[in-house]
Amino acid sequence: MKDKKTVIDTVPAGMARRRFINTAALTGLTLGVAACAEKKPEGGAPATAGSAPAAAHGANSTHLKPGELDSYYGLWSGGHTGDMRVLGLPSGRELLRIPCFVPDALVGWGHTNESKKVMGTKPDGSLRYTVGDTHHTHASYKDGNYDGRYAWINDKINSRIARIRLDYFVCDKITQLPNVQGFHGIFPDKRDPVDPAINYTTRVFCGGEFAIPLPNAGTEDASKYRSLFSCVDAETMQVRWQVLIDGNCDLVATSYDGKLAASNQYNTEMGAKYEDMMSAERDACIFFNIARIEEAVKAGKFKTVGSSKVPVVNGTHAANKDPKTALTAYVSVPKNPHGVNASPDQKYFICAGKLSPTATVIELAKVLEWFDGKLEKLDGAIAAEVEIGLGPLHTAFDGRGNAYTTLFLDSQVVKWNVEKAIAFHKGDKNAKYVVDRLDVQYQPGHINGSQSETIAADGKYLAVGCKFSKDRFLPVGPLHAENEQIIDMSGEKMVLLADHPVRGEPHDFIIFKRDLVKPKQVYALDDFPNAIKDPKESGVFRQGKKVTVKMTSQAPAFSLREFKVKKGDEVTLILTNLDKIEDLTHGFAIPNHDVNFIVNPQETASVTFTAGEPGVYWCYCTHFCHALHLEMRTRMIVEA
Ligand code: CUK
Ligand code: CUA
Ligand code: CA
């Protein structure tokens, strides 16, 4: 293990000498992690001798003086908490959690009727799902840069995609993908492939990772399972179409011209066990020709699966042999690749090897030539395939021609130059494409740079999501925080700036300049059809056993000082916050009725519950809003 780095740096990266990780080496993989646990803390010493200390660079720092604002937003996937987290960068301060797939106690997500409608309910009114597993998040584009309209995030467990409005930073729609299990990669298109006037995102692509029977009626013969690649309309959030493929989808990326979407495939073997999934020496990166797929849908060349009405076109090998009509192209990539990322110069897609120590650079122009029948072999689209280190996963960019790839097994970030890698691949053995290596703590997964996946990549800050934090923070029992590290990427050498503990497990994130979003800090009353615009509309309105309570809040009082209902009533309580002042949020909690939610300035929210045992229940404001916050109460009197 001690010579690992030297070996990689000196062994010629010829195709014949590639050292794939085989099944036997999987044991080594686990051992590697264990060995790291015993590794003495190195104080973040850079991997390369001669990496200068942070002070010598001084270009960028994570330190902000009190009251100073961050210069970037970060949108972080929340992982098991099923939310999106908003961070300020470079400080790394967490500013907000936007609940999406999982109930949230602070805002009452999953408790209010409005949020339940977004999340989806069973016929009895209870939530369909209360767990989630978000991995990937990306935002809408215009002219190759973020336009601040939307962000999207996936839920792998239940194949749901959530949209976040970036004016209010709230989740406003959730769609479940039909006939998909393990929805993993997600990426919006960057413009329309046909209409040049549409220079912004109108579609979001979703990769299906687990193959299942289609339709999903139990069968043990895994060779019959298939995966679907889905396209969701960015505005309506309806599923527009799906593509039946061979193999599976993992991560997703899109070209800047809008023509292609790509997804790396680690299970072209279509295996059901991990040994089978890693039996082949090469897998693939699949490219989807968006315009052709939509022509096929228009021409009625599709089927449907089960009860779903979504058109499914055939993107399998067998149906796409002729490049001139092909909907898909499968470019061969070494063993179980992970991650596909589009470079900000708009020219390349980069797949990391995971079980191969390589990165594969695929040239967009060549893939398009193949679709035009001008490139005989798809392998000709591979511009480079070079060794970069062990366990490469995800890649970020600095806009200066360099790629930064996480090496899970090496616990490093490797900075490498794309054009030099191409030169090396073409035979220039003097081309030193590896620019720098930096130890990170430990076992990094996702990586992203400021503005990295846009044409405005600015190469300032790099964030790395380390899966293991081990000794980096105070011990807090068996469950460790993960370690999100911030790196100064502005110089030749990377400089580690800061560690940040995060609750597991975020996976993916994006970082963009703060002026790209224009958040509104107060709602408009008209945003809510059930708003109570005047305190005089307050009152208790009964229709049999169904009771509607209308109320407003204005610090430090609710418009009703008390209200009466009867035991067993189905009570719907609608609360409008008439305060207009920024940051003046009120809460509303009812003891013993499982009710607690907030209303932000000019927001309306409602809850429906069954009135319990007769008695007095002090409903109180849960959000500190006023000197008389504790006095801000109303009584619910439940009569027999
Ligand atoms: S996967 Cu997690 S480290 Cu779901 Cu994005 Cu690569
Ligand atoms: Cu209103 Cu506290
Ligand atoms: Ca494989």
Side-chain angles (χ1 to χ4, degrees), residues 553-558 579 584-587 620-626 628-630 632:
S553 61
Q554 266 171 305
F558 294 109
D579 278 313
L584 214 169
T585 296
H586 296 290
Y620 68 100
C621 176
T622 47
H623 218 87
F624 215 110
C625 55
H626 190 274
L628 291 171
H629 157 75
L630 290 167
M632 185 166 176

Side-chain angles (χ1 to χ4, degrees), residues 294-612:
E294 298 199 343
E295 273 167 34
V297 171
K298 237 190 226 165
K301 292 182 195 152
F302 62 80
K303 292 190 171 151
T304 56
V305 177
S307 60
S308 163
K309 295 204 168 58
V310 175
V312 178
V313 298
N314 192 341
T316 58
H317 286 285
N320 292 279
K321 288 205 174 115
D322 178 4
K324 290 205 159 166
T325 56
L327 309 179
T328 53
Y330 296 73
V331 177
S332 168
V333 168
K335 211 173 181 84
N336 288 39
H338 189 72
V340 54
N341 296 89
S343 63
D345 61 9
Q346 315 184 34
K347 292 203 282 201
Y348 305 111
F349 286 90
I350 288 166
C351 279
K354 191 167 78 183
L355 299 194
S356 153
T358 53
T360 302
V361 181
I362 302 168
E363 197 173 340
L364 167 69
K366 295 281 179 195
V367 180
L368 292 173
E369 274 180 32
W370 181 84
F371 274 117
D372 288 342
K374 290 181 197 144
L375 181 74
E376 204 187 320
K377 289 211 148 143
L378 254 179
D379 282 353
I382 298 175
E385 201 163 286
V386 292
E387 293 208 8
I388 53 170
L390 292 185
L393 293 186
H394 296 282
T395 298
F397 305 94
D398 61 8
R400 300 185 293 267
N402 300 304
Y404 300 72
T405 304
T406 47
L407 302 173
F408 182 81
L409 296 179
D410 279 339
S411 268
Q412 285 185 337
V413 174
V414 55
K415 172 180 178 179
W416 54 286
N417 185 279
V418 179
E419 293 299 341
K420 282 197 180 146
I422 293 171
F424 183 91
H425 182 79
K426 281 197 183 131
D428 176 2
K429 297 301 168 202
N430 292 322
K432 288 216 171 355
Y433 56 90
V434 172
V435 182
D436 190 24
R437 293 177 187 279
L438 179 73
D439 280 341
V440 293
Q441 287 73 29
Y442 302 94
Q443 268 75 42
H446 272 278
I447 186 168
N448 223 335
S450 40
Q451 294 280 151
S452 170
E453 283 174 289
T454 70
I455 55 165
D458 67 4
K460 278 197 170 166
Y461 294 100
L462 198 57
V464 183
C466 297
K467 298 294 183 191
F468 293 76
S469 64
K470 302 183 195 295
D471 48 16
R472 300 296 278 194
F473 305 114
L474 286 177
V476 287
L479 177 64
H480 292 221
E482 292 188 17
N483 189 9
E484 300 280 306
Q485 296 187 303
I486 314 247
I487 292 165
D488 180 351
M489 71 193 299
S490 62
E492 176 88 347
K493 300 254 173 219
M494 295 173 277
V495 181
L496 184 59
L497 296 177
D499 285 5
H500 289 284
V502 286
R503 197 168 186 220
E505 89 154 70
H507 296 265
D508 191 19
F509 47 86
I510 58 170
I511 302 164
F512 54 88
K513 289 210 170 117
R514 69 182 190 200
D515 53 7
L516 289 176
V517 289
K518 306 263 178 297
K520 300 179 198 165
Q521 303 198 356
V522 173
Y523 282 103
L525 281 181
D526 290 333
D527 289 337
F528 306 92
N530 56 347
I532 297 140
K533 297 187 179 172
D534 187 327
K536 289 194 203 97
E537 295 167 29
S538 305
V540 178
F541 305 88
R542 176 175 291 277
Q543 269 193 309
K545 293 289 278 175
K546 291 197 177 188
V547 178
T548 304
V549 180
K550 296 185 179 177
M551 210 183 300
T552 61
S553 61
Q554 266 171 305
F558 294 109
S559 57
L560 298 177
R561 300 307 168 97
E562 67 267 317
F563 59 96
K564 285 183 183 166
V565 295
K566 289 195 169 60
K567 179 185 170 174
D569 279 346
E570 185 196 292
V571 183
T572 297
L573 186 143
I574 307 170
L575 178 62
T576 297
N577 182 1
L578 291 178
D579 278 313
K580 285 183 191 160
I581 303 165
E582 234 172 65
D583 204 5
L584 214 169
T585 296
H586 296 290
F588 196 89
I590 312 177
N592 311 126
H593 284 76
D594 203 30
V595 169
N596 187 12
F597 63 100
I598 57 169
V599 275
N600 294 299
Q602 303 280 291
E603 183 181 12
T604 299
S606 68
V607 285
T608 299
F609 60 94
T610 305

